[in-house]
C-alpha cells in the first residue's frame, strides 16, 4: 500500500481533523473493485453533496454494500479515487484509515453491544473527558426518538424497531461527516419499517447529515432519497432525483425495476408506434424500428362497455384495498393487460368475462428500442 502524504498522515493521527458535525461531500471517481477475478464495481463515479440523502439502489449483488465498505475505509478499492470534501482519502495519493475519516455506520443487524445498556451503547466511542455533556446530548437524542425511557435497558429488551433507532442515534452522536447505512430497515416488518424510516428521516433532516443509504427497494429509495444511484452488475445505470428515474428511466430494465409494466411490441411508422391500444408518439426512433411500448398499470384506463377505447374482456378483478387490479384480454396482445384503478373509479361490472373499453394515459407511456439489451 502507498504511504499517505504528510497531510493525510496528520489527519489519520487526529491532528488537523475537521470539526465533527460538518456534513461532508463524498465523491467516487472511476472506482473499480475486484475480488480475485470477479469485478464487483466497474468505473463507478458519482457524488453526494453536504446534507444530502442519497440512496444506493439495486438488486442483490450489484455492488451497493461494497461501495459502502470502500467509502468507510474498511478496505481499499482496486482502482479509482474516493474524496471527502475534495481531499483524497483512498487512491494513488494514499489511504486514510476508517477511524480517521469521521464517518458513521449503521448496519442491517443493528450491531448493538448486548452487554451495554442503551445509554452506554449510544455513548460508546464518545469523548470521556466531557461525559456530562455527552450524556445530556444522548438523552435529548433518545428522547427525540421516543427511547429515553429505555436508557437503562439492555438491547435484548427492545423490539427490532427500537434497536434500529438506538443504532441510528449511536451513529449520529459523534456527528459524523457522512452517515453510511446498509439496508437499515430491511429486517423490520412493513408497518414498523415505515415508522422507523419516518423517524430516521426526520432525525437526518434535523441534524443536516450527509447520508448514503443502501436499499434494494425502489419505493423506499423514492420515499427517502434526495437522489438515487441505480446500480446494476457493478455499473452506475442512472443517477438523479426519484421522479426522474421513475418518469424518465434510461432503459426498459430500469423501468421494470421501479414498477410492474405492460410491454407491447410495436413498429414505428411516421413517428408513432402502432399498438392494438392505439398510436403512441415514438420520439426519435426511426421508421421501421421495432420498439417496446411500456405502460404502467395505473396508465391503463378502463371504461364501462366498449363504446370508449379498445374492446377487451375482463379476465380477473381483485380488490386490493385502495385500488382494484384488473387483468384484461386485448386482441393482438399476447399477454393480459394489467390495470390498477382507485376503488370507486372503475366500471360497475357483473363479474368476469365482462366487456370493457381500454385506453392509454399518454403521460404513463414509455417507449424503448426492442433491440437494446
Amino acid at each position: 500500500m502507498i504511504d499517505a502524504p504528510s497531510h493525510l498522515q496528520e489527519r489519520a493521527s487526529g491532528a488537523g481533523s475537521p470539526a465533527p458535525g460538518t456534513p461532508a461531500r463524498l465523491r467516487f471517481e472511476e472506482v473499480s473493485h475486484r475480488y480475485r477475478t470477479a469485478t464487483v464495481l466497474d468505473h463507478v463515479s458519482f457524488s453526494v453533496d453536504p446534507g444530502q440523502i442519497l440512496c444506493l439502489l439495486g438488486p442483490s449483488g450489484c455492488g451497493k454494500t461494497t461501495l459502502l465498505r470502500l467509502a468507510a475505509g474498511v478496505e481499499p478499492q482496486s482502482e479509482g479515487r474516493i474524496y471527502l470534501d475534495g481531499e483524497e482519502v483512498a487512491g494513488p495519493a494514499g489511504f486514510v484509515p476508517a477511524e480517521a475519516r469521521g464517518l458513521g455506520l449503521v448496519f442491517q443487524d443493528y450491531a448493538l453491544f448486548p452487554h451495554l445498556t442503551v445509554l452506554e451503547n449510544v455513548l460508546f466511542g464518545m469523548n470521556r473527558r466531557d461525559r456530562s455533556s455527552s450524556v445530556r446530548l444522548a438523552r435529548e437524542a433518545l428522547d427525540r426518538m421516543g427511547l429515553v425511557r429505555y436508557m437503562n435497558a439492555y438491547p435484548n429488551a427492545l423490539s427490532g424497531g427500537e434497536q434500529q433507532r438506538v443504532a441510528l442515534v449511536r451513529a449520529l452522536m459523534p456527528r459524523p461527516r457522512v452517515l453510511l447505512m446498509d439496508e437499515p430497515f430491511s429486517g423490520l416488518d412493513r408497518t414498523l419499517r415505515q415508522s422507523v424510516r419516518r423517524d430516521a428521516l426526520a432525525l437526518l433532516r434535523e441534524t443536516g447529515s450527509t447520508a448514503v443509504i443502501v436499499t434494494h427497494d425502489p419505493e423506499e429509495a423514492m420515499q427517502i432519497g434526495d437522489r438515487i444511484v441505480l446500480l446494476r452488475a457493478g455499473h452506475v445505470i442512472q443517477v438523479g432525483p426519484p421522479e426522474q428515474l421513475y418518469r424518465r428511466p434510461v432503459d426498459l430494465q430500469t423501468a421494470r425495476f421501479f414498477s410492474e409494466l405492460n410491454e407491447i411490441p410495436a413498429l414505428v411508422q411516421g413517428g408513432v408506434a402502432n399498438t392494438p391500444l392505439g398510436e403512441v408518439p415514438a420520439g426519435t426512433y426511426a421508421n421501421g424500428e421495432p420498439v417496446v411500448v411500456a405502460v404502467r398499470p395505473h396508465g391503463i384506463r378502463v371504461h364501462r362497455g366498449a363504446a370508449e377505447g379498445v374492446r377487451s374482456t375482463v379476465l380477473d378483478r381483485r380488490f386490493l384495498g385502495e385500488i382494484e387490479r384488473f387483468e384484461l384480454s386485448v386482441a393482438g396482445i399476447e399477454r393480459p393487460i394489467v390495470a390498477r384503478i382507485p376503488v370507486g373509479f372503475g366500471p360497475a361490472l357483473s363479474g368476469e368475462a365482462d366487456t370493457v373499453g381500454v385506453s392509454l394515459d399518454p403521460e404513463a407511456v414509455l417507449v424503448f428500442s426492442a433491440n437494446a439489451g
Side-chain angles (χ1 to χ4, degrees), residues 343-367:
V343 171
F345 286 83
L349 302 176
S350 58
E352 293 182 13
D354 276 298
T355 299
V356 296
V358 173
S359 61
L360 302 178
D361 176 1
E363 297 298 319
V365 175
L366 302 164
V367 181

Side-chain angles (χ1 to χ4, degrees), residues 95-344:
F95 184 84
V96 174
E99 63 274 13
R101 295 190 186 187
L103 306 183
L105 288 168
V106 177
F107 300 98
Q108 182 178 343
D109 60 357
Y110 322 136
L112 299 177
F113 299 110
H115 62 289
L116 299 181
T117 66
V118 165
L119 180 61
E120 289 167 341
N121 264 283
V122 170
L123 292 174
F124 185 84
M126 295 294 291
N127 190 336
R128 295 180 178 274
R129 288 175 295 182
D130 193 13
R131 183 173 175 81
S132 61
S133 176
S134 295
V135 169
R136 177 179 56 80
L137 293 172
R139 285 179 62 96
E140 290 175 358
L142 289 169
D143 188 40
R144 283 198 298 272
M145 298 293 277
L147 295 167
V148 72
R149 64 185 183 277
Y150 297 122
M151 270 198 330
N152 297 315
Y154 289 89
N156 63 2
L158 276 58
S159 69
E162 289 162 346
Q163 290 186 47
Q164 190 60 294
R165 287 182 175 96
V166 172
L168 177 63
V169 171
R170 183 180 66 179
L172 286 172
M173 274 296 290
R175 298 157 69 195
R177 304 174 70 194
V178 179
L179 182 64
L180 308 172
M181 305 175 74
D182 189 8
E183 298 272 11
F185 315 116
S186 63
L188 307 174
D189 65 57
R190 182 178 178 180
T191 303
L192 190 56
R193 183 164 63 245
Q194 291 175 341
S195 172
V196 175
R197 191 165 55 203
R198 182 180 61 249
D199 291 345
L201 185 61
L203 189 57
L204 289 172
R205 296 294 187 202
E206 182 181 333
T207 56
S209 302
T210 305
V212 179
I213 302 175
V214 163
T215 181
H216 64 273
D217 183 344
E219 183 176 337
E220 180 170 270
M222 289 190 288
Q223 284 186 356
I224 63 180
D226 299 316
R227 289 169 71 237
I228 296 173
V229 174
L230 179 65
L231 294 169
R232 187 188 306 149
H235 294 85
V236 172
I237 302 302
Q238 190 170 356
V239 182
E243 185 174 357
Q244 182 183 58
L245 270 70
Y246 185 85
R247 294 188 181 278
R248 298 189 296 280
V250 295
D251 58 23
L252 180 57
Q253 196 168 343
T254 298
R256 287 173 181 160
F257 191 75
F258 278 89
S259 72
E260 185 178 14
L261 291 176
N262 296 292
E263 299 178 26
I264 308 169
L267 284 176
V268 176
Q269 294 294 338
V272 298
N274 294 291
T275 80
L277 291 177
E279 295 181 344
V280 172
T284 59
Y285 292 110
N287 282 343
E289 185 169 355
V291 295
V292 175
V293 175
V295 189
R296 294 193 168 100
H298 69 262
I300 302 291
R301 295 169 174 165
V302 181
H303 313 279
R304 182 182 178 86
E308 188 176 355
V310 175
R311 181 185 180 90
S312 65
T313 303
V314 177
L315 302 176
D316 189 50
R317 183 180 188 177
R318 300 287 173 178
F319 174 79
L320 300 178
E322 296 180 355
I323 64 163
E324 290 184 286
R325 184 181 188 273
F326 287 79
E327 287 192 7
L328 307 156
S329 174
V330 177
I333 300 178
E334 184 177 345
R335 300 180 64 180
I337 292 294
V338 176
R340 287 176 173 258
I341 301 171
V343 171

